[in-house]
Amino acid sequence: MHGNSTRENRETLPTPDPKAGAGRLEKVMSHKSNMNVGGESHGRVVPAKCPNKDGKPLAEGTEGRRPTKENTEQTTASQIQCWGNALSGLRRVREAAKKDKRLQFTALLHHVTIPLLLDSFYALKREAAPGVDGVTWKDYETDLDRRLEDLHRRVHQGTYRAQPSKRAYIAKEDGRQRPLGIAALEDKVVQHAVGTILNQIYEEDFLGFSYGFRRGRSQHDALDALWMGLMRKKVNWVLDADVRDFFGSISHEWMVKFLQHRIADRRILRLIKKWLRAGVSEDGEWSRTEIGTPQGSVISPLLGNAYLHYVFDLWVQHWRKHRATGEVIVVRYADDSVLGFQHRADAERFLQEWKERLQKFGLELHPDKTRLIEFGRFAATSRKKHGEGKPETFNFLGTSLEERQVPCAAQEYPKATPCQVETGEGRAQDTHASAASGCREMVEKRGPGLLQLSRGTRQFR
């Protein structure tokens, strides 16, 4: 297995942790941030009173100010309590989403608090290129108290306006240019905050074979699950597929309809519509965006996963349980998917029906990056029996997989339970930790480029 990864290194929206949140806030108060970014921030303190408590307007908030020696401890404790209240609210959202998979959330915007906006601001990359507003992270940190209070007020009063994305390009492997959209800094902050809230819902909905731009669902995890499926399930045919220009082809109408399955807060939906329709600015010229979501924005990975959850994940889950005649495995990393089939007839029928389904939602498979090949533990024996050549190879996440590696690699994996393979959760728990570590060693030896994530979009985030 060899090759280099071409996936963008996007930020993953967090699942808030109370202890981590409190620790981060304490460090903000002591003039530093622990958001895995370099540099120091200026001493500051946000209002001691929690604005927007119980959904009330910002009028209750107090002005931010510089901390003094005698009140620093009191203010810090107050802010930790505010952040704790915000985390408690997010936990309740997640618990409700987990308890009732059909629940529609009618009141979510009140979770966009100043502490959450503060946390989102410090989660952004500090050296990222500015958007059309020309404001850098360092610029915005100046007088941050006032800026966040004003942003919070505009978001809750409905006067917040999304700005167009600034067009930029990075080179692709085939020599073409990949268009990116650089959001304005305030848009990044609000998108991160809203994404953090929505993540509490969708992390309970997304299926086990969904990977990419999710915490604990990295490239390594996707490859682990794929190897597990190839070696433990009856896979004789592999369908390697890629959706053509996925982020640029997302239907705004369908996107909103999908979100409405869970999100009934019209204010949150209105924010998302603003980002989708904000347009693109290139060389000073603004253009309307009627389809797609800017590739490179903070909210796009979550919206993309939600879109494919309804277009692909739920559908393929039903298909393999009710229409397939043999075993089927699935691993999806963003818009790249690999499916393994026991029978060729199933694979061919699935591919045709998949193409028809994608057309309904404005998508199509890339003809040059979609292939059905004979691949699996017994592919070489089968092809030799029929007088055919060696099995073909295929690439997934920049890594070339060869049939001859499968039997050797199988010795380094733990024995999987049917549930682990069925859901795509090939990563074992404590009892299988050492075996999973051995698997990672094997992946790194055979594919030294696997960990070399593309840095193409880092400068724009």
Side-chain angles (χ1 to χ4, degrees):
M1 188 161 52
H2 54 85
N4 293 328
S5 170
T6 59
R7 308 304 307 180
E8 288 90 0
N9 184 26
R10 300 169 187 255
E11 293 169 334
T12 302
L13 292 171
T15 300
D17 175 70
K19 294 181 180 179
R24 179 161 56 251
L25 189 57
E26 286 179 332
K27 289 198 174 184
V28 169
M29 298 303 170
S30 63
H31 302 220
K32 291 187 179 180
S33 171
N34 65 345
M35 294 303 300
N36 298 321
V37 285
E40 296 186 354
S41 59
H42 300 293
R44 58 167 307 284
V45 56
V46 295
K49 185 183 292 184
C50 294
N52 200 39
K53 183 177 181 182
D54 297 326
K56 295 180 181 179
L58 184 65
E60 294 186 7
T62 57
E63 285 293 323
R65 53 185 171 73
R66 288 281 177 179
T68 58
K69 182 177 180 180
E70 57 270 15
N71 62 19
T72 298
E73 291 185 4
Q74 180 181 357
T75 305
T76 301
S78 176
Q79 290 310 306
I80 292 175
Q81 182 179 2
C82 287
W83 179 234
N85 293 338
L87 291 176
S88 178
L90 294 180
R91 283 198 302 271
R92 289 195 297 270
V93 171
R94 185 153 194 160
E95 290 168 0
K98 183 178 182 179
K99 183 178 180 180
D100 187 352
K101 297 295 185 179
R102 295 186 177 183
L103 177 64
Q104 288 185 310
F105 292 83
T106 59
L108 291 173
L109 189 66
H110 69 278
H111 292 291
V112 179
T113 60
I114 288 183
L116 181 58
L117 293 174
L118 174 70
D119 183 76
S120 296
F121 172 75
Y122 280 102
L124 300 178
K125 291 183 173 62
R126 302 189 177 192
E127 303 302 325
V132 294
D133 58 350
V135 178
T136 66
W137 189 93
K138 283 292 184 183
D139 293 336
Y140 200 84
E141 192 187 29
T142 303
D143 200 12
L144 184 59
D145 298 339
R146 182 190 60 80
R147 292 179 184 270
L148 289 182
E149 288 182 14
D150 178 64
L151 177 59
H152 179 267
R153 176 187 57 80
R154 286 183 280 122
V155 168
H156 284 269
Q157 292 183 353
T159 57
Y160 160 79
R161 295 289 180 266
Q163 299 191 57
S165 297
K166 181 180 178 181
R167 177 67 75 209
Y169 296 89
I170 60 172
K172 300 175 66 174
E173 285 186 340
D174 57 10
R176 295 183 299 166
Q177 296 289 308
R178 182 191 302 278
L180 299 178
I182 310 174
L185 195 135
E186 282 195 340
D187 293 334
K188 291 181 182 179
V189 172
V190 181
Q191 287 182 18
H192 193 284
V194 171
T196 300
I197 297 168
L198 297 185
N199 248 358
Q200 311 313 306
I201 301 170
Y202 287 108
E203 281 300 316
E204 296 298 332
D205 289 356
F206 291 154
L207 302 185
F209 53 77
S210 168
Y211 295 84
F213 314 128
R214 298 174 57 196
R215 178 162 296 185
R217 297 275 170 173
S218 67
Q219 292 171 293
H220 269 311
D221 299 301
L223 285 166
D224 286 351
L226 178 59
W227 275 106
M228 184 75 75
L230 291 174
M231 292 183 289
R232 300 301 185 187
K233 305 294 279 187
K234 298 175 182 177
V235 174
N236 299 311
W237 295 87
V238 164
L239 175 59
D240 176 25
D242 177 82
V243 178
R244 186 204 290 265
D245 188 24
F246 169 66
F247 287 99
S249 303
I250 290 177
S251 164
H252 293 177
E253 180 182 1
W254 279 113
M255 182 79 261
V256 174
K257 286 182 178 180
F258 292 148
L259 292 174
Q260 287 174 336
H261 282 292
R262 288 294 242 168
I263 313 302
D265 188 332
R266 290 180 294 179
R267 299 169 299 174
I268 292 290
L269 294 174
R270 191 179 300 119
L271 282 174
I272 294 174
K273 290 177 184 178
K274 287 180 179 181
W275 295 324
L276 292 175
R277 300 170 182 172
V280 174
S281 177
E282 184 171 3
D283 297 328
E285 295 291 330
W286 178 84
S287 60
R288 184 186 304 274
T289 51
E290 297 181 352
I291 61 171
T293 179
Q295 188 168 2
S297 74
V298 175
I299 199 69
S300 289
L302 174 59
L303 295 182
N305 274 328
Y307 198 86
L308 287 176
H309 174 72
Y310 291 101
V311 172
F312 177 73
D313 295 357
L314 295 178
W315 175 76
V316 72
Q317 184 81 320
H318 181 271
W319 196 97
R320 69 177 178 178
K321 288 182 177 180
H322 299 282
R323 296 182 58 79
T325 60
E327 294 185 356
V328 180
I329 67 168
V330 185
V331 176
R332 177 180 67 80
Y333 188 98
D335 56 331
D336 289 343
S337 303
V338 173
L339 298 97
F341 298 85
Q342 183 178 357
H343 304 304
R344 179 172 184 170
D346 277 348
E348 292 175 341
R349 183 159 49 94
F350 174 85
L351 179 57
Q352 181 58 38
E353 294 180 17
W354 189 14
K355 290 179 179 179
E356 294 172 0
R357 179 169 178 80
L358 288 178
Q359 288 179 356
K360 178 181 178 181
F361 301 101
L363 304 175
E364 65 174 339
L365 294 177
H366 197 298
D368 298 330
K369 297 181 180 180
T370 301
R371 295 188 307 150
L372 177 62
I373 63 173
E374 189 173 10
F375 191 97
R377 289 176 291 166
F378 311 108
T381 303
S382 175
R383 293 177 68 85
K384 185 176 181 180
K385 181 179 179 180
H386 293 89
E388 299 174 337
K390 295 181 179 179
E392 296 181 75
T393 64
F394 70 95
N395 294 303
F396 184 53
L397 304 180
T399 301
S400 178
L401 290 90
E402 302 176 7
E403 185 275 338
R404 63 180 176 82
Q405 298 168 340
V406 175
C408 175
Q411 301 172 3
E412 299 191 52
Y413 272 94
K415 185 174 182 179
T417 65
C419 178
Q420 287 173 327
V421 177
E422 180 71 13
T423 61
E425 295 176 352
R427 297 299 301 275
Q429 298 298 327
D430 295 339
T431 55
H432 295 155
S434 60
S437 176
C439 153
R440 187 172 291 103
E441 255 179 57
M442 177 270 298
V443 170
E444 291 176 2
K445 288 179 181 177
R446 296 183 179 179
L450 179 61
L451 295 177
Q452 298 174 7
L453 303 180
S454 170
R455 300 175 182 267
T457 60
R458 286 187 177 180
Q459 58 180 314
F460 304 116
R461 294 294 302 282

